[in-house]
Amino acid sequence: MTRFVLRRLLQSVVVLFGVTLVVFLLLQLVPGDPVRVALGTRFDQQTYDALRERSGLDRPLVAQYLSYVGHALTGDLGVSFRSGQPVTTIVLERLPATLSLAVTAVLLALLVAFPLGVLSAVRSGSALDHAARVFSQFGVSVPDFWMGIMGILLFAGVLGWLPPSGYVALTEDPARWASHVVLPATAVGLVTASILTRFIRSSVLEVLAEDYVRTAEAKGLRARIVVVRHVLRNALIPVVTVVAVQLASLVGGVIVIEVLFAWPGVGRLTYDAVQARDYPVLQGAVLFVAALFLLMNLLVDVLYARLDPRIGLR
Amino acid sequence: MTRSRMVGAVLALALAAAGCGAGDSVDVDGAGDTGGKGAGGTLNAAIGGEPDQLDPHRTSAYYSFQVLENVYDTLVEPGPDLRMGPSLATKWTTSADQLTWTFTLREGVRFSDGSPLTSEDVVYSYERIISEKLNQSYRFETVKSVTAPDPTTVVVALTKPTPNLLASLGGFKGVAIVEKSNVESGAIKTRPVGSGPFAVAGYTSGDSIQLTRNDNYWGPKPTLDGVRFTFVKDPTVALQNLRGGEVQWTDNLPPQQVAALKENGGDVTVESRSSTDYWYLALNEGRKPYDDVNVRRAIAFALDREAIAKAAKFGQATVNQTAIPKGSSWHFEYAPYRHDPAQARQLLGQAGVSGLTLDLMVTTEYPETVSAAQVIAAQLKDVGITVKIRTLDFAQWLDEQGRGAFDAFLLGWLGNIDPDEFYYAQHRTGATFNFHKYSNPAVDRLLDAGRTETDPAARKRTYDQAAKQIVDDASYIYLYNPDVVQGWSKQVTGYQVRSDRAIRFRDVALDR
């Protein structure tokens, strides 16, 4: 077990190394000059040259990359072109907002998807089953930003129940944090809920068809006990994986919703960094998200092995 | 011709009129106050994006200057009519040869951290911009030296007469007076220390910047306890915030709703003012057939500016065929191009051009260029020109512009005050922003002369001639001056929309 985890961690480092290289090379291909963007509309050539030199963009690419990796190994991800702040500080400042949004979204999604998925599997073919399928079709088809805007217009505009945008830290004022997080988390969580509903449904259906379930039923156990004790325990194993992957992808991917709701998370940071061609911040944000992904995957594998004795860690 | 002019005398009058006595304001603090006017409070303002950093000498983003306008002072500053008036300097004199300007500073000015602001700080600030070649260094091109003979005197020595020096030293907060220790500690990026009416008290990355009243401020103390700037990119969301009372001020309103809001905004006041920005179409004279003046003039005749302004700004703009808007003392009334497709076709025939395809570059950074392009494409189709619109993100757009890889582009120049800022860098042969490769020796001579002509009437005539020639040559095809549109709640009093887009909250009160 320990050996497995260590080996995986080592692999992760290699993957992250690859990520830095790919991102660095991709940024070279993306048109757009960070110095021009930073200077805006009025400056002279001397100013341009001076800033280019200060940002280290005048050095050869290989030198730029090697110095970046060298510093990254010591935990120094460089400084932002735009603000001059250390990238590590910037990304860490933005993580809590994104995590609180992603976790809330996934919890809301589970709250809907779990009962809906299980019920539509157990009562496969019923009206409820059809309704659940329509819901998940709707959820994956509707863009989250549209849901977000509709939510703002209805709950903030017409009804005035919720603030339309903005952020209050959970640690600062939980009640106000909750009122701010509801709309964006719902907009994001709808897609997640749809995916999870389908997944839970098919996973439960699969287990219901297993031999041991028939055995349990033949023993004369009541249907509810069968479902709860035998089916759910086994059906939820693959669901854990999907939830973890969804969570990881939300941390890296709630860009549009964060921009719409003025939510100060990593997604919005990434968006702004792309707009400004702030390479160090962009590289740092991608690296953080990739690391989180790898960590999540490792956790899932370990958890999986714990839940399902048929799987051994090698 | 040199005529010594004692600007100081004029200013002394202006000062007397403005009743400029520092520290004679009564401090109405919230103690024992039961609400109502002047009861302090924090004003929440929603702006469209986040400042990249708060160092006034290094940032170029308008979002930064919206905040910094309330934090920093400059030597002089533009009044409501954009004429330069006193700020940190109370008066100034110019030598007979126009090469030495002597500024007298206000006594007893302090930075928000309590340390005194003297002539040394002015010298330090200007030398920082010049020696580190920071963004505004081009404004100091003719400055030979900046010295501080005593704590309240600053002497600026020039290599040649510079009539627009005041606009260069006070046009906006990019030339603010900063504090040396604040710069050297690096704190200026997120916690800048200035001498303005408010001080930065907190900065939550991605969310908001909090200002509090600067009790060391030399001018009348602001009644507001503070201002909180939040960053809301989506205008619909910003408007909802204003309606719901989460914010009391925003300049990020959906353009298609502005007219209705002005008519009947309910609890929201929306006001607009013509700005000193101008938007234009530039044709690449380094490419055929756009080097032919007849082709450029044909395109100028083919455009219906009213329709373009309507599509791009929903009527929140004034059409103009020159750069400088009406209402500026530098405005020159000249509009030779009416919407005349027949005339356009005739000029194209004269130039021997037919079946032309024009590549027009626009950017999502300024959505109005994207909408304007659609209308322009339809209008040019009428005269037989096929427009291919390329929509790029701003970084890429700037790249293409720099490489000259375009037939035409649409963009605007923002926040201009002096005529030199309206014309020189764009139309002087080989100048920094002359990306469309316009070159006319007569215009060059006029633009050079305007930079050193110290007699205002003669200077006005020089720029009028330059403006006429630039329009006749269709170097830029000018389209419109957009309005500055801002909205605030009924609780806000004492706020004024300014044509240079400076956001000043120092005189604002909030009824609670």
Side-chain angles (χ1 to χ4, degrees):
Chain A
M1 178 77 180
T2 320
R3 272 188 55 197
F4 166 80
V5 172
L6 279 175
R7 204 174 63 233
R8 279 289 297 271
L9 282 175
L10 206 64
Q11 280 172 351
S12 300
V13 173
V14 176
V15 170
L16 286 178
F17 190 76
V19 168
T20 61
L21 188 63
V22 169
V23 173
F24 185 85
L25 290 175
L26 277 177
L27 286 178
Q28 303 311 319
L29 294 177
V30 174
D33 174 352
V35 178
R36 260 189 212 284
V37 181
L39 287 174
T41 47
R42 282 199 181 85
F43 57 88
D44 55 22
Q45 190 59 40
Q46 286 186 317
T47 303
Y48 178 88
D49 295 338
L51 184 59
R52 207 176 151 74
E53 195 182 331
R54 266 202 302 271
S55 318
L57 284 163
D58 57 340
R59 296 177 306 160
L61 282 187
V62 176
Q64 281 184 49
Y65 180 69
L66 288 179
S67 95
Y68 178 77
V69 171
H71 284 113
L73 287 174
T74 64
D76 168 18
L77 296 179
V79 295
S80 158
F81 283 162
R82 295 171 79 218
S83 67
Q85 298 291 96
V87 171
T88 321
T89 316
I90 296 175
V91 177
L92 286 176
E93 263 181 352
R94 300 295 192 98
L95 267 181
T98 290
L99 283 175
S100 73
L101 175 58
V103 170
T104 311
V106 169
L107 286 179
L108 283 178
L110 273 174
L111 219 59
V112 175
F114 183 74
L116 206 58
V118 172
L119 283 175
S120 69
V122 173
R123 304 201 188 149
S124 167
S126 69
L128 180 108
D129 182 25
H130 284 297
R133 274 197 268 179
V134 169
F135 162 79
S136 58
Q137 191 56 51
F138 172 80
V140 284
S141 324
V142 173
D144 54 4
F145 68 88
W146 184 83
M147 276 304 295
I149 291 175
M150 289 302 126
I152 291 171
L153 290 177
L154 179 62
F155 292 102
V158 178
L159 300 169
W161 293 347
L162 295 166
S165 74
Y167 172 72
V168 177
L170 176 60
T171 46
E172 193 185 316
D173 185 343
R176 286 186 56 216
W177 168 83
S179 74
H180 280 96
V181 83
V182 169
L183 282 178
T186 310
V188 174
L190 182 72
V191 182
T192 313
S194 310
I195 296 170
L196 285 178
T197 304
R198 281 185 184 189
F199 198 85
I200 290 170
R201 179 177 177 275
S202 58
S203 181
V204 171
L205 276 176
E206 211 169 295
V207 176
L208 281 175
E210 293 272 3
D211 291 345
Y212 63 82
V213 176
R214 227 174 314 154
T215 311
E217 278 171 348
K219 279 198 306 190
L221 284 177
R222 281 217 310 279
R224 232 180 46 176
I225 293 183
V226 172
V227 169
V228 173
R229 195 176 299 169
H230 295 277
V231 178
L232 282 189
R233 262 188 58 180
N234 295 318
L236 286 185
I237 296 172
V239 173
V240 169
T241 327
V242 176
V243 169
V245 170
Q246 281 290 323
L247 190 62
S249 74
L250 286 188
V251 169
V254 279
I255 295 183
V256 176
I257 287 292
E258 282 190 359
V259 170
L260 180 69
F261 283 92
W263 195 264
V266 178
R268 189 162 168 203
L269 180 71
T270 309
Y271 174 88
D272 288 340
V274 170
Q275 290 294 314
R277 300 294 191 275
D278 194 341
Y279 299 163
V281 171
L282 200 54
Q283 283 169 317
V286 172
L287 207 58
F288 261 90
V289 171
L292 203 76
F293 243 103
L294 291 166
L295 199 68
M296 280 282 201
N297 269 322
L298 178 58
L299 280 176
V300 166
D301 286 349
V302 172
L303 204 64
Y304 220 90
R306 280 288 155 95
L307 292 173
D308 191 341
R310 288 175 304 188
I311 296 174
L313 293 179
R314 282 183 310 279
Chain B
M1 60 163 259
T2 50
R3 258 190 357 190
S4 166
R5 286 171 50 253
M6 295 297 288
V7 190
V10 181
L11 270 156
L13 281 175
L15 280 180
C20 253
D24 58 358
S25 65
V26 185
D27 201 12
V28 204
D29 226 23
D33 207 313
T34 52
K37 264 207 182 11
T42 296
L43 177 95
N44 285 296
I47 56 178
E50 184 175 1
D52 51 343
Q53 57 169 324
L54 294 176
D55 179 340
H57 296 167
R58 285 188 192 264
T59 184
S60 68
Y62 175 59
Y63 302 129
S64 311
F65 292 117
Q66 289 184 281
V67 176
L68 296 174
E69 181 64 36
N70 301 286
V71 174
Y72 276 105
D73 288 320
T74 41
L75 216 48
V76 288
E77 70 170 16
D81 58 354
L82 301 193
R83 283 185 193 284
M84 291 295 155
S87 180
L88 288 176
T90 51
K91 56 179 193 283
W92 45 92
T93 55
T94 324
S95 64
D97 63 2
Q98 298 283 338
L99 293 178
T100 311
W101 291 59
T102 306
F103 293 87
T104 305
L105 298 190
R106 196 176 292 279
E107 302 265 352
V109 174
R110 293 184 174 279
F111 284 108
S112 58
D113 65 1
S115 57
L117 185 157
T118 67
S119 53
E120 291 294 341
D121 296 292
V122 178
V123 172
Y124 171 77
S125 299
Y126 292 169
E127 283 189 342
R128 177 181 187 229
I129 295 172
I130 297 166
S131 68
E132 296 188 28
K133 303 191 183 84
L134 300 181
N135 303 18
Q136 307 305 325
S137 58
Y138 74 92
R139 294 172 177 265
F140 293 82
E141 223 176 290
T142 58
V143 172
K144 193 162 63 181
S145 69
V146 186
T147 48
D150 67 61
T152 56
T153 309
V154 173
V155 178
V156 179
L158 304 169
T159 53
K160 52 184 178 211
T162 310
N164 64 342
L165 183 72
L166 290 182
S168 292
L169 296 184
F172 81 129
K173 296 296 188 260
V175 285
I177 306 308
V178 300
E179 186 187 51
K180 189 175 178 179
S181 61
N182 185 232
V183 171
E184 287 177 345
S185 71
I188 190 166
K189 292 172 189 146
T190 50
R191 285 293 177 93
V193 173
S195 56
F198 295 93
V200 176
Y203 187 165
T204 312
S205 162
D207 177 56
S208 63
I209 293 176
Q210 178 74 44
L211 308 184
T212 54
R213 180 175 47 230
N214 170 16
D215 286 322
N216 288 313
Y217 184 51
W218 51 266
K221 296 274 182 296
T223 48
L224 290 173
D225 295 328
V227 180
R228 183 167 172 267
F229 289 91
T230 51
F231 322 132
V232 181
K233 189 175 164 50
D234 190 289
T236 312
V237 178
L239 176 60
Q240 283 300 349
N241 274 302
L242 183 60
R243 285 212 161 120
E246 280 84 8
V247 306
Q248 292 84 43
W249 183 96
T250 187
D251 63 339
N252 190 12
L253 295 162
Q256 63 275 22
Q257 294 189 44
V258 169
L261 286 167
K262 280 179 167 175
E263 286 283 307
N264 178 17
D267 297 340
V268 174
T269 308
V270 173
E271 280 184 23
S272 61
R273 238 186 114 151
S274 198
S275 74
T276 56
D277 307 349
Y278 65 85
W279 292 75
Y280 62 95
L281 172 73
L283 298 162
N284 189 347
E285 298 180 29
R287 284 191 182 181
K288 285 194 175 331
Y290 308 105
D291 55 340
D292 183 339
V293 68
N294 282 327
V295 174
R296 300 198 301 270
R297 290 173 59 85
I299 291 171
F301 276 113
L303 298 182
D304 175 354
R305 287 172 178 71
E306 292 288 352
I308 295 166
K310 205 170 168 150
K313 303 298 294 184
F314 296 89
Q316 311 299 315
T318 312
V319 297
N320 193 354
Q321 298 196 14
T322 63
I324 306 179
K326 274 191 189 61
S328 160
S329 54
W330 299 100
H331 173 72
F332 172 59
E333 189 58 48
Y334 186 56
Y337 302 111
R338 63 207 171 273
H339 177 219
D340 189 347
Q343 174 77 5
R345 278 190 287 267
Q346 193 202 322
L347 283 165
L348 286 172
Q350 250 173 307
V353 169
S354 64
L356 184 60
T357 301
L358 178 144
D359 149 71
L360 173 59
M361 190 170 75
V362 293
T363 171
T364 46
E365 178 87 1
Y366 297 105
E368 66 199 81
T369 62
V370 181
S371 353
Q374 318 278 353
V375 181
I376 287 171
Q379 291 169 2
L380 291 184
K381 205 170 180 61
D382 272 355
V383 299
I385 299 173
T386 311
V387 177
K388 289 247 185 316
I389 301 174
R390 262 193 305 152
T391 308
L392 306 170
D393 94 327
F394 199 41
Q396 193 180 352
W397 189 99
L398 287 167
D399 254 17
E400 299 280 288
Q401 185 198 37
R403 290 193 297 119
F406 58 88
D407 286 348
F409 67 77
L410 280 165
L411 205 69
W413 279 91
L414 318 180
N416 321 283
I417 292 182
D418 189 83
D420 182 67
E421 294 178 60
F422 280 93
Y423 293 120
Y424 191 91
Q426 300 84 337
H427 306 286
R428 175 77 172 75
T429 304
T432 327
F433 296 98
N434 189 339
F435 295 110
H436 61 305
K437 310 244 185 340
Y438 170 71
S439 177
N440 179 337
V443 170
D444 291 352
R445 273 194 301 278
L446 288 165
L447 292 178
D448 289 345
R451 287 195 140 185
T452 53
E453 175 55 65
T454 52
D455 175 59
R459 194 162 183 248
K460 170 83 166 79
R461 278 196 302 277
T462 305
Y463 280 111
D464 288 354
Q465 284 173 26
K468 181 177 185 304
Q469 195 57 56
I470 287 166
V471 172
D472 285 341
D473 290 344
S475 166
Y476 275 3
I477 296 172
Y478 294 102
L479 302 171
Y480 56 81
N481 302 105
D483 293 347
V484 186
V485 182
Q486 295 164 353
W488 53 90
S489 81
K490 290 275 188 276
Q491 299 165 278
V492 174
T493 51
Y495 182 78
Q496 268 193 317
V497 179
R498 293 171 47 94
S499 56
D500 62 353
R501 296 184 190 275
I503 312 294
R504 289 185 191 163
F505 289 127
R506 63 195 187 206
D507 303 324
V508 166
L510 198 60
D511 296 345
R512 286 182 295 168

